[in-house]
Amino acid sequence: AGVRTFVEVGPDAALTSMVEQIVDDAVAVPAARRSQEGTYAVVTALAGLHANGIAVDWAAFFAGTGARLTDLPTYPFQRQRYWLLEESSGDVTEAGLDAAEHPLLGATVTLAGSQDVVLTGRLSVQTQPWLADHRILDRVLLAGTGFVELALRAGDQVGCETVEELTIQAPLVLPEHGGVQVQVVVGAPDEAGGRPVSVHSRAEDADGPWTPHATGRLVPEAPMPSFDLSAWPPPGAEPVSLDGFYDGLVDVGLDYGPTFMGLRNAWRLGDDIYSEIAAPEGAEAGGYGMHPALLDAALHTVALTDVEEAALPFAWSNITLGVAGASSLRARVTSAGDNEVAVSVADDCGRPVLSVGSLVSRTVSSGQLAASDVSSAFHDSLFRLEWRPVSVSVPSSLDWKSWEEVFEGGSAPGVVVLRVGGE
C-alpha cells in the first residue's frame, strides 16, 4: 500500500522489529516498551517520528508547561571528533613493548642481542599538571627527585635495588605546551652486577638528538635502611617556624606550587633538621616508589637556613628505597659539609622508607636553564651564517703613514683600517 511509517501501539515492540525486516526503508517506532516508563516511551516514539519527517503537534504536546521557542546560536556549529580511533588502543604490547606500569613511564623494552633495557615515557604539564608546580627561575623543571624516581624504577626493572650514584648533568626544562619524550637507558651488568643508567629527553615535535640529563650506576642487593624515627618529635629538638617559608623562597627563584608544598612541621637538633611531610592534593603516591614532590619537600628543610641563590640537586649517592607508595613521611636531613646532606625518610610510624647517603646541590642561573631547554634546542636550525658586504667610504686624501701616526689620529677619525699586504 506504500506505507513506510508505522507506530506500534501495544505492550511491547514485537511487531516493530518484524516490520523493519519486511518493509524496505521503513520507519517503525513502538509507543510502549516493557523496559521503559510509559511517558518516556511515548515521547521517544514522537521524537523518532519527528526525526524522520513526520509532523508532530509540539504546541499541543508542550501546552501548559511554559515551554517556548528560542533562537539558535548565531555562531556556526563547530564539529570536532573527540572519539579515540579504533587503532589507538593504548596497549603498548601491540607495538612489541612491555608496559612500564609507572605514572611517568609508559613502556619498557629489552634490546635484541644485548642486556640493555630502555624505559620510555612522555612528560607534559597538560597530562601531568603537578609537574608545573616545580618552577625554578620562571621555568618549569623536572624536579631532581624526579630523576631519582626514574632511576629507582629502572633499577626495579632489572633487579637493582640501589642507585649507587646519580649525577644530574643538565636540568630538564618542560615546555608550557606540548611535552617531551623521555628515555631511561640501563646498560648491561658488569662483573659485580652493577649497571649504568642514564636519562635522556627530546622535544616530542622535533626529530633531533637526545639530550643527556643524568647518568649513574645501579647495584643489586642493597641493605635496607636501618635508622629509627619512631620517637617523634625527636627529644630535645627545637621547633622551627614555617610562617612565610614558601613565600620567602620565591624571592630567590624557587616558586613552588601546591603539589610541592608538602612541608608541614620542622624541628632542629644540632646539625639535623627533622620534618613532617604530607602529600598535598595532586601528589597521590600510588604507582610511585617515592613521589618526587614528597621527597623534594623533605629537601626544602635545607632552605630553613639563609638561602641567597636557587640551588638544585646535583650528585646523589647510595639511594635505597625500602617501602614504596608512602604518602605521610618523617624526614631527617643531616648536614655533611658545604651544600652536602644525608637524608633519611620514614613513614608516619617511624619505619624506614628511603635513605640517601649523600646529596650535593649546586646553584643554577637563568642562562643555564635556557641552555637546557630541549623545547628550543632546535631553533638554531633556523639560523645560518651569512656574510653581507658593507660599503666603507675612505677619504681619497688619506695619506698612508706609519701605524703609529695613523693611530695617533687625525687622518680618519672613527675609522680603523686594516692594511693587508703591500696594497
Side-chain angles (χ1 to χ4, degrees):
V3 176
R4 291 290 180 269
T5 305
F6 302 84
V7 178
E8 180 177 356
V9 181
D12 208 338
L15 300 179
T16 296
S17 60
M18 296 181 183
V19 170
E20 291 174 341
Q21 296 176 19
I22 297 172
V23 181
D24 294 335
D25 300 324
V27 175
V29 296
R33 288 181 179 272
R34 295 184 187 274
S35 60
Q36 292 180 347
E37 186 271 333
T39 304
Y40 183 91
V42 172
V43 174
T44 301
L46 292 176
L49 293 172
H50 176 77
N52 283 278
I54 305 301
V56 176
D57 188 355
W58 292 113
F61 178 84
F62 285 108
T65 66
R68 60 183 178 82
L69 293 176
T70 186
D71 294 333
L72 288 174
T74 56
Y75 56 84
F77 291 101
Q78 299 175 2
R79 298 177 175 85
Q80 182 175 351
R81 288 181 57 84
Y82 290 93
W83 299 106
L84 294 175
L85 300 178
E86 293 182 0
E87 59 268 26
S88 300
S89 65
D91 185 0
V92 297
T93 60
E94 295 182 0
L97 307 173
D98 295 322
E101 299 180 352
H102 189 275
L104 300 180
L105 297 168
T108 178
V109 62
T110 301
L111 302 184
S114 73
Q115 299 183 60
D116 295 351
V117 177
V118 178
L119 297 90
T120 67
R122 177 182 181 272
L123 303 181
S124 168
V125 297
Q126 278 76 49
T127 55
Q128 297 132 336
W130 65 269
L131 293 172
D133 286 346
H134 189 263
R135 185 176 291 272
I136 308 298
L137 298 175
D138 294 326
R139 291 180 182 269
V140 177
L141 305 186
L142 175 66
T145 52
F147 291 107
V148 171
E149 176 63 20
L150 294 176
L152 286 171
R153 175 62 188 89
D156 182 66
Q157 181 73 24
V158 298
C160 291
E161 301 174 359
T162 292
V163 180
E164 184 179 60
E165 59 182 45
L166 186 68
T167 302
I168 301 176
Q169 301 169 324
L172 201 169
V173 182
L174 299 175
E176 298 290 345
H177 304 284
V180 297
Q181 299 171 347
V182 174
Q183 285 190 359
V184 184
V185 182
V186 182
D190 55 26
E191 295 180 356
R195 289 173 174 256
V197 62
S198 57
V199 182
H200 310 256
S201 77
R202 70 175 181 181
E204 63 180 354
D205 56 352
D207 187 16
W210 292 83
T211 299
H213 293 282
T215 59
R217 186 170 185 266
L218 309 172
V219 295
E221 300 179 359
M224 289 285 291
S226 58
F227 55 87
D228 183 8
L229 296 181
S230 57
W232 200 258
E238 295 292 331
V240 178
S241 175
L242 298 179
D243 292 341
F245 171 67
Y246 283 109
D247 291 336
L249 295 182
V250 176
D251 296 336
V252 296
L254 303 175
D255 188 4
Y256 295 117
T259 308
F260 281 80
M261 294 182 178
L263 193 58
R264 296 292 179 264
N265 297 288
W267 299 263
R268 190 188 302 275
L269 181 60
D271 292 334
D272 296 343
I273 299 179
Y274 296 82
S275 60
E276 288 179 343
I277 299 102
E281 184 178 355
E284 291 78 9
Y288 294 92
M290 170 67 68
H291 195 290
L294 294 179
L295 181 55
D296 197 77
L299 304 179
H300 294 174
T301 56
V302 176
L304 289 173
T305 57
D306 293 335
V307 176
E308 298 180 355
E309 296 180 276
L312 298 178
F314 168 65
W316 305 75
S317 65
N318 297 321
I319 309 170
T320 302
L321 177 66
V323 179
S327 58
S328 296
L329 305 175
R330 298 174 179 178
R332 180 181 65 202
V333 176
T334 302
S335 176
D338 292 341
N339 300 320
E340 183 178 0
V341 296
V343 184
S344 302
V345 181
D347 63 13
D348 53 7
C349 294
R351 294 169 295 198
V353 171
L354 179 141
S355 67
V356 179
S358 172
L359 166 60
V360 177
S361 300
R362 282 187 176 180
T363 58
V364 64
S365 66
S366 297
Q368 290 172 306
L369 298 185
S372 301
D373 191 346
V374 298
S375 65
S376 60
F378 304 101
H379 291 180
D380 287 346
S381 63
L382 301 178
F383 299 98
R384 65 181 181 181
L385 182 62
E386 180 178 342
W387 293 98
R388 295 185 178 182
V390 178
S391 298
V392 178
S393 176
V394 180
S396 59
S397 61
L398 179 63
D399 183 16
W400 294 100
K401 302 178 182 180
S402 67
W403 285 113
E404 290 79 3
E405 292 176 322
V406 171
F407 280 107
E408 285 177 358
S411 298
V415 177
V416 176
V417 181
L418 298 182
R419 184 174 179 180
V420 181
E423 298 297 328

